[in-house]
Amino acid sequence: MLKKRIGKAAPARSPSPEVVDIGGLKRILGFSLRRAQLSMYKDYGRFMDRLDLRPAQYSVLLLVRENPGLSQSTISQILGIQRANFVSLLDELESRGWVERRSSEKDRRSFALHLTKKGQAFMKQANVAHSELEASLTQRLGEQDTRSLLRLLNQFADEASVE
Amino acid sequence: MLKKRIGKAAPARSPSPEVVDIGGLKRILGFSLRRAQLSMYKDYGRFMDRLDLRPAQYSVLLLVRENPGLSQSTISQILGIQRANFVSLLDELESRGWVERRSSEKDRRSFALHLTKKGQAFMKQANVAHSELEASLTQRLGEQDTRSLLRLLNQFADEASVE
DNA sequence: TATTGTTATACTCTATAACTATA
DNA sequence: TATAGTTATAGAGTATAACAATA
């Protein structure tokens, strides 16, 4: 017998999940954001799991491809990742042969990050899978509302009182 | 000397953060959702940290207040939390004297969850702080766009291909 | 057999302090 | 002094398997 709480009398009702009022939660931005993210993440898995590539890893590869030469600090700052936590993330991308840390001549403390040939080839694959994912997500609300959602999300983040 | 990577020559440029192209990322729903959530969470801290109450805990208290008698499984399912992980979360709310596990008569496997008097009193406090938080968040986009954002987020989650 | 609550466990993500090499 | 990358560590969050009690 693991359950050993006080045995007060239960009330008359015990609502089934369909009757539960979660309306209040849906009016809370934090809850709605998390809900959307959870449901997005399921689709992410369906399209990206076979690449064994987590969202943060994909973001790094994208950023490095579009901005070769960036430092680890710059990238981790853009992505909202502590630079300490960014090290092992990058280690994995490097050990898989996709990213290269080139020692910079101007500032010998930092590395300039670049995609390898292999990394560029992999990104072509990854982009195909990711396009399928985005198409699937866009289908939910349609082109126009999806664009609105994106605009509002980024506007919301840009307007943060504390940057 | 900790840094011991291959010393290929660095390229001529090393863009400063202001010049970096993150436009591509902003068009990705997953990235934009995370960005919004990160910026939201900072405000959450400013208003809710003094209550020492994490978002999930507040959600549980809200749900229980609005739907007294719910079981642990039902609540954890609504919130997208594994029922195994819900145990310790609820243990803390119970040990702080805010929630009660009442043994149910109809199904003696489950507990009916209720707020205590103390829990109800605490929620009055918490709601004040949370209202201030929501007001601050709403200020970012204004009433109308915030409502649009909420609607789109929930619609997006509701439309999930895999429920 | 199936479900509820529980324990144990492992893995990811996140946050912080302290260290080195360099600026 | 300050910054870039690193290490170590601790705390959350999350996922899974297995168990006792009960359905």
Side-chain angles (χ1 to χ4, degrees), chain A residues 3 35 37 79 109 158, chain B residues 3 35 37 109 158:
Chain A
K3 297 182 282 177
R35 227 182 130 233
Q37 208 177 28
L79 297 180
R109 292 173 302 181
D158 290 335
Chain B
K3 295 182 284 177
R35 230 185 128 232
Q37 207 177 28
R109 292 173 303 182
D158 290 334

Side-chain angles (χ1 to χ4, degrees), chain B residues 26-128:
Chain B
K26 287 192 180 184
R27 261 171 265 125
I28 295 177
L29 205 43
F31 179 80
S32 300
L33 278 170
R34 178 165 188 275
R35 230 185 128 232
Q37 207 177 28
L38 275 181
S39 78
M40 184 277 303
Y41 199 74
K42 286 191 180 170
D43 266 28
Y44 184 93
R46 293 201 299 141
F47 290 98
M48 302 292 282
D49 268 1
R50 60 188 159 87
L51 296 173
D52 192 22
L53 195 70
R54 276 156 292 150
Q57 297 175 313
Y58 181 68
S59 299
V60 171
L61 293 177
L62 259 187
L63 263 181
V64 173
R65 193 195 58 181
E66 297 307 311
N67 306 273
L70 288 188
S71 70
Q72 296 182 199
S73 289
T74 301
I75 290 186
S76 54
Q77 190 197 326
I78 291 171
L79 297 180
I81 300 173
Q82 305 295 323
R83 68 189 197 284
N85 296 327
F86 189 71
V87 175
S88 62
L89 195 165
L90 193 58
D91 282 347
E92 195 181 330
L93 295 181
E94 199 179 28
S95 75
R96 294 220 242 174
W98 295 330
V99 173
E100 219 175 35
R101 288 189 241 227
R102 298 191 194 161
S103 55
S104 167
E105 290 174 344
K106 344 181 90 162
D107 187 341
R108 288 163 56 213
R109 292 173 303 182
S110 73
F111 292 114
L113 302 183
H114 293 266
L115 288 196
T116 61
K117 295 273 179 199
K118 192 178 165 189
Q120 287 166 23
F122 173 76
M123 277 304 276
K124 284 180 185 167
Q125 273 188 270
N127 282 330
V128 171

Side-chain angles (χ1 to χ4, degrees), chain A residues 124-138:
Chain A
K124 284 179 184 165
Q125 272 188 271
N127 282 330
V128 172
H130 195 264
S131 292
E132 290 172 11
L133 166 62
E134 288 288 317
S136 167
L137 294 177
T138 301

Side-chain angles (χ1 to χ4, degrees), chain A residues 5-75:
Chain A
R5 265 88 187 183
I6 329 129
K8 293 193 185 176
R13 81 196 178 108
S14 173
S16 59
E18 301 85 37
V19 189
V20 174
D21 176 25
I22 67 164
L25 288 178
K26 286 192 180 181
R27 261 171 264 127
I28 295 177
L29 206 42
F31 179 80
S32 300
L33 279 169
R34 177 164 189 277
R35 227 182 130 233
Q37 208 177 28
L38 276 182
S39 78
M40 184 276 303
Y41 199 74
K42 287 191 179 169
D43 265 27
Y44 183 93
R46 292 201 298 142
F47 290 98
M48 302 293 282
D49 268 1
R50 61 189 159 85
L51 296 173
D52 192 21
L53 194 70
R54 276 154 292 150
Q57 298 175 313
Y58 181 70
S59 299
V60 171
L61 292 178
L62 260 187
L63 262 181
V64 172
R65 193 194 58 182
E66 298 306 313
N67 308 272
L70 287 188
S71 69
Q72 297 182 199
S73 289
T74 301
I75 290 187

